[in-house]
Amino acid sequence: MLHLVGETIDARRAYHRARTGDLIQLVRGVYVESGSDAEAVVLGHAVRIAHYLYPNAYLSSASAILLGPVPDGRLFITGRRNQRTRLHALEIIQNTAPRQPSTASAVIGDDLGELRVDVSSPAQRLLEAFRLRSEHASAITPEMRNRIATRLIEEYGSPQTASDSVWALARKNEWYREGERAERFLLRQPRTATAPANKAALDLLVSWHGELLGHLTHDGFEWRWKPRRRGGPTLVRETTPGKLPPFIESLLPEGWLAQVLGKRDEREVLRGGRRYLSNIAITRNREALAALPADMLLIPLTAFLEAGRFTGRYAGPGRGHIEETFEQQLGQLFARAETPRLSGVQIKAPMSLLADGSLVPAVDQPFTHILKPAGTAGFETLPVVEWLCLELGRAGGFDVPAAALAQMPDGMPPALLIERFDIRRGAEDRRRFALEDFCSILGLPASAKYDSTIERIARGLRPLSTDPATDLNTLFRRAVLAWLIGDGDMHLKNLAVLKTAGTGAKAFTSVRLAPLYDAVTTRVFPRLATDRMALKLNGKDDGLRRRDFLILARTIGLPGAEADIALADLTTRLSRHAGTLELPEFAQGWQAANTMRDRVISIVAERSAALMESLSQRRIPRSDP
């Protein structure tokens, strides 16, 4: 067994154990157990030892490819100076780093766990392969060179563009001869090669409605999507070699749940969960997949819905003892891999509504409903505000899932309960559903969910939709609704398409803009009184007028007359319904909820009146303002 002073053992104990013969010192700070196979221990932990001795160096040459030593025991690193260190069969060979090295992060696994280290990027590895009079260069075999070049060509799309990128790095470091030789080699379009093994590597099965879609692998450095040959519709697409497919990334937790799970990166998140939205399961083997329940509606929420109130029995976590908060109890559910993972930053829990009206955590039950409890720090009324906005959307003619306010135990504020619309409606329903948000559709990371426009969404929606004319009209109305209710959080992850495939269908039979969800008047919350639209339209995110919406309509191909009708219809419906909108009776006793209702209605009334003022003007402007 390996011991590193300051990491696995303290200096005093290491000294005394070495004095008694229990440990053998290999080099300052590095020990092995007496009687163990020192050579095997050293080679098995080569990268960890090198990282311990030279924390500012990075793996390079063949070791950046193998993520370990070459077969003869040499480990290549790059750091501040040239030097060699020999520990039994391991020889650590360090050369001097260039002025502007290009590195990336990799994960190495050994018997002590996983270790994150820096390694040469693929472009720098290729240049390292052509260094003159360099042992680092000679360690890279022809097969490795082919592998690096193939990887670069996949990333950049062609040998020429890959060569241009490598040349840019060569110029930064004045490696001109290396750049010339790398360019000639890239233009030959070398063969592909298989990736090396690594104990930190992952091979995950991605399934949809129980059917295997393919393998999601990570070799410690980058992701690879390997689709399975099948006759069904394509759901997961790899858009950038080495990156997590956008559809898979869109399923990952954000915000509160990401903090609860405490995972450092995508690998840990995917390794720690199994069930996701869109009927996706990600498991290590088929046995784990077979043990998961199928998500299908057991009984509709409408069976336990009366005047906006959930009339069933809530059987989920509560506030509990005074030293344990509701959030902590809810977080304990997610400690189990069987608990479905949810995207989005708001606190929410996956629930299952049983036939007797019991609402239980969806750990070993079908995931049928989403519970959104009250927030903190001024967002205690968030569920109430979202319920009001969903009801306004329903009155505006939008397709809205069944929703109810649920009375919570232990004196907690009401929570919002929403029925999933992307699951089967019973055992006899054989349709297959997938929900894909516009971050995934546009190939953007979740961090870029605010970096787009309604016009760009329309461009992405048009070629996908099986009824583009209707969906573009709905998207237009959705933008109008967001403005009328003061929704400053209608970003790319809160807009999606619902894909449906029939039994045995080779392609999706229906791809439509998804029902309304996550609609919230953000302007009523602390520090958000001047909140703007999350996505711009006509180049604006505030102070919108009829003219802006008509220009939007023209840009996305919606007839002006149709846009005017949508504007008139939506403003009329919302202004009429807002004045009669009432909270469920049990929530009316909470003054904060009544205050929020009045503020939401005030915003809707003010903005509806402003739009209705100009509805008599039917002419579409000729150019942008």
Side-chain angles (χ1 to χ4, degrees), residues 90-110:
L90 172 66
E91 185 176 18
I92 302 172
I93 304 172
Q94 180 177 218
N95 68 355
T96 306
R99 290 185 303 177
Q100 298 187 52
S102 173
T103 61
S105 181
V107 181
I108 310 297
D110 58 24

Side-chain angles (χ1 to χ4, degrees), residues 491-602:
H491 50 65
L492 293 179
K493 289 188 70 65
N494 284 341
L495 289 166
V497 295
L498 182 62
K499 300 180 176 182
T500 308
T503 304
K506 295 183 178 180
F508 288 107
T509 51
S510 171
V511 179
R512 301 296 308 279
L513 197 64
L516 179 69
Y517 66 95
D518 285 359
V520 176
T521 301
T522 54
R523 288 203 167 207
V524 297
F525 293 106
R527 300 181 300 279
L528 297 178
T530 58
D531 201 25
R532 297 168 176 265
M533 293 275 283
L535 303 173
K536 290 184 178 181
L537 61 90
N538 190 33
K540 299 170 63 176
D541 57 10
D542 200 14
L544 299 178
R545 299 291 183 264
R546 172 179 173 272
R547 175 185 177 84
D548 299 305
F549 289 109
L550 292 181
I551 292 175
L552 168 67
R554 185 182 63 186
T555 303
I556 67 177
L558 188 68
E562 193 173 329
D564 256 332
I565 291 173
L567 283 167
D569 178 67
L570 196 53
T571 52
T572 301
R573 284 172 179 250
L574 260 63
S575 59
R576 286 177 179 173
H577 188 72
T580 62
L581 185 59
E582 295 292 343
L583 292 168
E585 187 174 350
F586 82 95
Q588 293 179 17
W590 185 26
Q591 185 53 45
N594 293 321
T595 300
M596 283 300 188
R597 170 194 171 276
D598 294 342
R599 294 177 66 184
V600 169
I601 291 174
S602 175

Side-chain angles (χ1 to χ4, degrees), residues 7 9 35 62 100 150 240 253 269 306 325 376 476 503:
E7 292 188 7
I9 193 172
Q100 298 187 52
T150 300
T240 304
V269 172
E306 183 179 335
T325 67
T376 58
F476 176 81
T503 304

